[in-house]
Amino acid sequence: MKPSQIDIDSFWLPHASSTGAAAVDLAFYAVYGVSVVAFVLVAGLAVLFAVRYRRRAGPDTAREATDHHTGLEITWTAVPVVVVLGLFALGLLGFIDQAVPPGEALEVQVTAERYLWSFTYPDGTRTVNELTVPVGRPVRLLMSSKDVLHSFFVPEFRVKQDIVPGRYTGMWFEPTRVMETTVLCTEYCGVGHSGMLAKVVVLEQKDFDRWLETGGGKPDLPPAELGRSLFSSLGCATCHSLDGTRIQGPSLKGVFGRQEALEGGGQVTVDENYLRESILYPQKKIVAGYPPVMPTFQGLVKDSQLDALIAFLKAAR
Ligand code: CUA
């Protein structure tokens, strides 16, 4: 980070980049400030009293100390009550704001599954592991999970919400600057949890409109290059290495043309059709010794993107 980028917004926390961030940060710093004051007071008095009232030679005078003081008791009850209610009010204000999305919000459906994020826009555009939104406009996320608990967390926007299978959860934010950042899954969901990331891209409204018009498409690239970019953006690398390392799924190093033994017997030679089938219907032919955990990419990748992925895998040696 360049020194010029350091400002009060990012003193401890990531750069505050949404309209709701100020309220969250205020509540955080208020709780923090109160905690520091309480700690200094308690620890300071503990040390002071330990020194001042330590056991000394001579007659024991401790018994003569006051054992009740109504004023003191009222003070140490009333002051914390007021402070805690103040903190509650601060948190409540931010919470109410976060709980109700503005009417004009852009609604994006979010589907979480092990270990990828997919986003569906009102016009039907779908993306995987990439959430693109316009700046200065509220975005409402309607979120659901296909399998287990996940949690959607964008530190810069100060938003975090669990995603629970069998129900919808929602949240909203309004980005305040053009930027790129990361969505983190922040609920442990399995061995690929730490790799369950998506990119957030905030664009000017006109750039966003153009992005939506082109269906979130990438600029023209040679197929293998496009495939490399998809391999990374779709999160394939969370479970498939390209260097021969065994992770969750078979390594894809030199996969093309390989003979694979299948779970339940039989063999397959990896060709274009097997790769295509395995991306769209991953449970059909599982390589022996691997768990059947790959999600389907049906509806998430277009045919041209499948071609590109296959071109890339052919070249992965
Ligand atoms: Cu999904 Cu952790």
Side-chain angles (χ1 to χ4, degrees):
M1 182 187 283
K2 282 181 253 146
S4 63
Q5 285 177 290
I6 298 175
D7 55 65
I8 192 65
D9 283 348
S10 54
F11 171 53
W12 264 339
L13 305 173
H15 193 108
S17 308
S18 78
T19 52
V24 175
D25 291 5
L26 180 64
F28 171 79
Y29 285 120
V31 170
Y32 181 77
V34 167
S35 307
V36 168
V37 171
F39 173 77
V40 170
L41 199 68
V42 170
L45 286 178
V47 171
L48 179 72
F49 290 170
V51 174
R52 190 153 167 196
Y53 301 111
R54 69 189 182 278
R55 175 179 281 245
R56 299 174 212 239
D60 186 358
T61 53
R63 301 246 169 253
E64 293 157 29
T66 308
D67 62 358
H68 186 79
H69 190 300
T70 305
L72 201 55
E73 297 224 358
I74 289 176
T75 308
W76 76 43
T77 306
V79 171
V81 164
V82 170
V83 169
V84 167
L85 284 179
L87 292 178
F88 172 75
L90 265 185
L92 184 67
L93 289 179
F95 176 81
I96 290 172
D97 186 48
Q98 289 288 299
V100 186
E104 76 278 23
L106 166 73
E107 187 167 287
V108 180
Q109 288 183 31
V110 180
T111 307
E113 62 187 294
R114 292 186 290 182
Y115 300 99
L116 61 91
W117 302 96
S118 51
F119 302 97
T120 308
Y121 291 78
D123 70 347
T125 297
R126 287 186 93 171
T127 59
V128 175
N129 289 339
E130 188 173 321
L131 173 64
T132 301
V133 291
V135 71
R137 186 171 163 202
V139 178
R140 173 168 197 252
L141 301 182
L142 185 62
M143 308 193 289
S144 59
S145 166
K146 282 195 188 172
D147 39 43
V148 297
L149 277 176
H150 302 272
S151 188
F152 185 100
F153 181 33
V154 182
E156 281 81 355
F157 295 160
R158 309 290 193 271
V159 289
K160 176 149 86 171
Q161 175 66 55
D162 278 10
I163 306 180
V164 184
R167 61 176 295 183
Y168 292 108
T169 50
M171 65 174 213
W172 77 276
F173 56 84
E174 181 181 326
T176 50
R177 63 190 184 102
V178 171
M179 61 184 288
E180 277 192 20
T181 182
T182 306
V183 180
L184 309 155
C185 180
T186 178
E187 182 71 55
Y188 184 72
C189 52
V191 295
H193 160 72
S194 59
M196 190 169 164
L197 308 168
K199 192 158 80 166
V200 185
V201 183
V202 182
L203 299 175
E204 294 290 355
Q205 180 74 49
K206 63 177 190 326
D207 296 331
F208 175 75
D209 292 341
R210 193 176 316 134
W211 176 86
L212 209 54
E213 253 168 47
T214 57
K218 299 256 177 216
D220 286 342
L221 286 175
E225 280 304 303
L226 177 60
R228 175 191 304 281
S229 136
L230 286 167
F231 190 83
S232 142
S233 65
L234 295 170
C236 309
T238 308
C239 299
H240 297 285
S241 80
L242 290 171
D243 62 1
T245 314
R246 181 189 170 117
I247 4 180
Q248 280 229 75
S251 173
L252 298 180
K253 184 186 184 191
V255 67
F256 198 79
R258 197 154 75 192
Q259 288 276 331
E260 296 280 27
L262 295 177
E263 199 66 50
Q267 283 226 327
V268 69
T269 303
V270 178
D271 59 7
E272 289 90 345
N273 282 317
Y274 177 67
L275 290 175
R276 184 187 160 89
E277 181 183 76
S278 297
I279 295 168
L280 298 180
Y281 309 100
Q283 315 300 334
K284 273 203 172 167
K285 293 181 188 138
I286 305 271
V287 175
Y290 289 91
V293 293
M294 177 163 159
T296 173
F297 286 79
Q298 217 182 350
L300 298 178
V301 290
K302 301 178 207 138
D303 276 354
S304 60
Q305 294 176 318
L306 271 175
D307 297 345
L309 277 168
I310 291 168
F312 168 67
L313 291 177
K314 275 177 160 173
R317 313 230 140 254

